[in-house]
Amino acid sequence: LNEATQGKPQALIYYFSDLQRHKIEQGLNLRDVTNASLEQVAGILLNRINTAERERSEKEARQKTLNDNRNKVGIITISYLHQLKDILINRMQGKMAIAMLPSNKIGNKEALLSQYAEQHSYYFNNSLPRGFIVLGMQVSDNASYQLLVSIHHYGYDDATLAIGAIFHTVKREEDNNTSTTTSLSTSPHIISIAEDDISSKEKNIKLFLEDTLSAMMAQIASEIN
């Protein structure tokens, strides 16, 4: 630096040239980069580009698999809940109003889901996609019930889903028109969506939904005197 200030910059130029060469060697994992190794450097650079493109393609393919499978789980869940709803409507012979409800019928869904995950000892990752489905039932003007089914990610793994179920009971007192709400929940059904084909998961999803709805109906029956 002193020589450079005295009009002799060559040593400083050599220093920065060596420094830059060292950085290139580190970046390309070469022990010696010289003018004679240009073809080798170009070959390594090409390999790096090809590797980066392959990794990007694999990442995109994986993300597409996860998105497609998550959507398939949602379609299976919604479709089968509609089937179960129709079965119940026929079975109850008009004694109970049963219908799918907009998810906004239940407030604070995110907080409910966080509590649900904590209750069942896992982390609810609200930074990943999730969905909600609500099935409503009404026995009388003073008693209504909602089954909130949520499809969300289980913990930090973007390849693992949980199907959770929370059962709400809302009762209104005839004398003062106040209402009380109680909630019950069942353990979540855990699914891996990393595989290309998740058709084998459908049977267990349906069993989970049927068992959940059966538990809800049993709870309703226990509350009717």
Side-chain angles (χ1 to χ4, degrees):
L1 186 59
N2 288 334
E3 290 182 4
T5 58
Q6 295 173 7
K8 301 177 181 179
Q10 197 62 41
L12 188 62
I13 292 172
Y14 286 150
Y15 170 76
F16 282 114
S17 295
D18 287 342
L19 185 64
Q20 185 175 18
R21 186 185 67 178
H22 181 63
K23 290 181 180 291
I24 294 173
E25 290 173 355
Q26 285 183 324
L28 298 178
N29 292 327
L30 284 179
R31 294 182 178 178
D32 185 23
V33 177
T34 65
N35 291 335
S37 65
L38 178 59
E39 185 175 347
Q40 183 183 9
V41 173
I44 291 176
L45 179 57
L46 178 60
N47 287 337
R48 290 292 180 86
I49 293 172
N50 289 338
T51 299
E53 288 179 347
R54 184 177 66 253
E55 290 176 350
R56 183 168 58 251
S57 178
E58 290 172 352
K59 183 177 180 181
E60 290 173 352
R62 179 182 181 275
Q63 193 59 53
K64 183 178 186 303
T65 296
L66 296 181
N67 291 340
D68 289 347
N69 286 343
R70 185 170 48 236
N71 290 336
K72 288 176 184 176
V73 170
I75 291 170
I76 291 169
T77 302
I78 293 172
S79 176
Y80 197 58
L81 274 177
H82 275 279
Q83 291 181 42
L84 293 175
K85 176 206 68 174
D86 293 339
I87 290 171
L88 285 176
I89 289 174
N90 292 331
R91 186 70 180 88
M92 294 307 299
Q93 301 177 0
K95 301 297 183 180
M96 176 186 286
I98 305 171
M100 306 302 294
L101 302 176
S103 62
N104 60 12
K105 285 291 183 181
I106 297 182
N108 301 318
K109 292 185 293 296
E110 302 287 331
L112 285 172
L113 204 48
S114 293
Q115 294 171 8
Y116 175 85
E118 183 177 355
Q119 179 184 354
H120 295 285
S121 304
Y122 71 93
Y123 171 69
F124 162 53
N125 192 339
N126 61 6
S127 67
L128 294 173
R130 63 269 187 201
F132 302 93
I133 311 159
V134 181
L135 176 63
M137 302 181 187
Q138 189 161 353
V139 179
S140 67
D141 291 339
N142 299 323
S144 62
Y145 308 88
Q146 293 98 33
L147 176 65
L148 172 64
V149 175
S150 172
I151 302 171
H152 54 277
H153 282 270
Y154 185 87
Y156 296 93
D157 186 3
D158 63 352
T160 304
L161 288 182
I163 304 179
I166 305 172
F167 173 42
H168 284 277
T169 301
V170 180
K171 291 188 175 181
R172 293 177 176 81
E173 303 297 334
E174 295 182 359
D175 53 352
N176 57 11
N177 200 32
T178 59
S179 63
T180 58
T181 302
T182 58
S183 298
L184 299 172
S185 67
T186 59
S187 297
H189 179 59
I190 311 302
I191 307 168
S192 171
I193 56 172
E195 301 90 348
D196 290 333
D197 184 7
I198 63 165
S199 57
S200 61
K201 315 286 186 184
E202 183 170 351
K203 179 181 178 181
N204 287 335
I205 293 174
K206 290 181 175 180
L207 284 173
F208 169 78
L209 295 173
E210 191 166 344
D211 289 346
T212 297
L213 199 51
S214 296
M216 178 180 178
M217 298 298 289
Q219 178 64 30
I220 294 173
S222 71
E223 295 180 4
I224 297 176
N225 298 322

